[in-house]
Amino acid sequence: MSAAPSDTDIEHSHDPQDIAARLKKGPQNSYLRDWVLGGIDGAVTTFAVVAGVAGAELSTTIILILGVANLVADGFSMAAGNYSGVKAERDDYQRLRETEQRHITLSPEGEREEIRQIFAAKGFEGDHLDTAVDIITAHQERWIEVMVEEEYGAAKTNRSPMKAGAATFAAFLICGAVPLLPFVFGAGANALLSASIMTGFVFFGIGAMKSKWSTSPWWSSALETFLIGMTAAGFAFIVGALLKSWVGV
């Protein structure tokens, strides 16, 4: 018979006191998605601008002007969009709560029947089903939360729109600035090559970091992110080169 797993084999302790403390603290908000989104987009779009302008063989000054303009404007736009998206999620959850609260007030028996059918579909029956319905509907706050989650599939979120937007903006600026560094410090003819290598490391690093919160191996996540970013930059370089030949700049 195999030995029972110890707490060193799993992610957290199952001591009753530790469980109580963890549940009391509640789920922790994560802004990793916002950071990864901002970091990848910042590196991709800025490097795409750099590669596209370099492909057109324009001056370093133009590369820096367009790159910095993209860095600030796109970064703010993306942060604002993410802020609005997270705020919309919270507003929608509140709207659904108010809808269910009104339904419970106006038609409590109809809402009880909804709870009954929801838990019957989960396999509850007989006295167990009656007990579950009674427990849930005895407390209005619990009743509302169950209805919002089960009927609409809306998960409660306490993520801050401001923190989400700030994380996106910071990641966009930090990662997006990397492709510009060789041009800022005068790498000359090797600037684009240096920018490509440095940006490649950024994509690889973001992908490796992202794997900590997924089931993918770190190298698989890193390689996937690297290929996505470098493909986007490659398209931009080709477009810049083609426009130069067609327009004749």
Side-chain angles (χ1 to χ4, degrees):
M1 184 173 65
S2 60
S6 68
D7 283 341
T8 58
D9 300 321
I10 52 182
E11 288 75 15
H12 49 243
S13 167
H14 283 82
D15 180 85
Q17 291 183 335
D18 293 336
I19 292 173
R22 189 168 63 251
L23 293 178
K24 183 178 180 180
K25 186 185 298 182
Q28 300 302 297
N29 294 321
S30 172
Y31 297 93
L32 170 71
R33 180 186 69 84
D34 311 284
W35 177 270
V36 170
L37 186 65
I40 291 177
D41 198 66
V44 166
T45 57
T46 306
F47 187 48
V49 169
V50 168
V53 177
E57 298 181 6
L58 300 180
S59 69
T60 298
T61 301
I62 294 178
I63 289 175
L64 289 174
I65 291 173
L66 293 179
V68 172
N70 169 82
L71 195 62
V72 176
D74 254 16
F76 181 80
S77 174
M78 190 172 186
N82 197 28
Y83 169 89
S84 299
V86 174
K87 187 173 184 301
E89 288 178 358
R90 294 184 62 169
D91 290 346
D92 187 51
Y93 184 85
Q94 184 60 34
R95 178 186 65 82
L96 294 175
R97 278 184 51 85
E98 291 174 1
T99 297
E100 284 305 311
Q101 186 172 27
R102 187 173 70 255
H103 289 180
I104 288 171
T105 301
L106 298 176
S107 181
E109 289 308 312
E111 291 295 310
R112 281 179 61 88
E113 179 59 23
E114 287 187 2
I115 289 289
R116 176 175 295 278
Q117 293 193 24
I118 287 170
F119 280 83
K122 293 178 181 292
F124 286 74
E125 56 185 24
D127 292 340
H128 295 298
L129 177 59
D130 293 337
T131 300
V133 173
D134 289 341
I135 290 174
I136 291 169
T137 59
H139 190 282
Q140 190 179 81
E141 182 67 21
R142 179 169 57 230
W143 192 352
I144 292 171
E145 289 186 0
V146 171
M147 289 302 301
V148 170
E149 182 177 340
E150 295 291 343
E151 186 174 4
Y152 300 101
K156 184 177 182 180
T157 176
N158 292 316
R159 284 176 12 102
S160 164
M162 187 63 70
K163 289 182 179 179
T168 299
F169 189 59
F172 194 101
L173 290 182
I174 292 170
C175 297
V178 171
L180 298 175
L181 294 179
F183 297 93
V184 172
F185 293 105
N190 296 320
L192 181 59
L193 176 60
S194 299
S196 301
I197 294 172
M198 292 170 66
T199 306
F201 275 112
V202 170
F203 292 141
F204 203 82
I206 292 174
M209 179 183 72
K210 181 164 61 75
S211 71
K212 185 177 180 181
W213 288 268
S214 73
T215 56
S216 302
W218 71 267
W219 55 266
S220 175
S221 178
L223 185 60
E224 177 187 54
T225 306
F226 173 82
L227 290 175
I228 291 172
M230 298 309 288
T231 299
F235 277 123
F237 182 85
I238 292 171
V239 169
L242 289 174
L243 287 175
K244 172 180 170 57
S245 64
W246 290 342
V247 178
V249 294

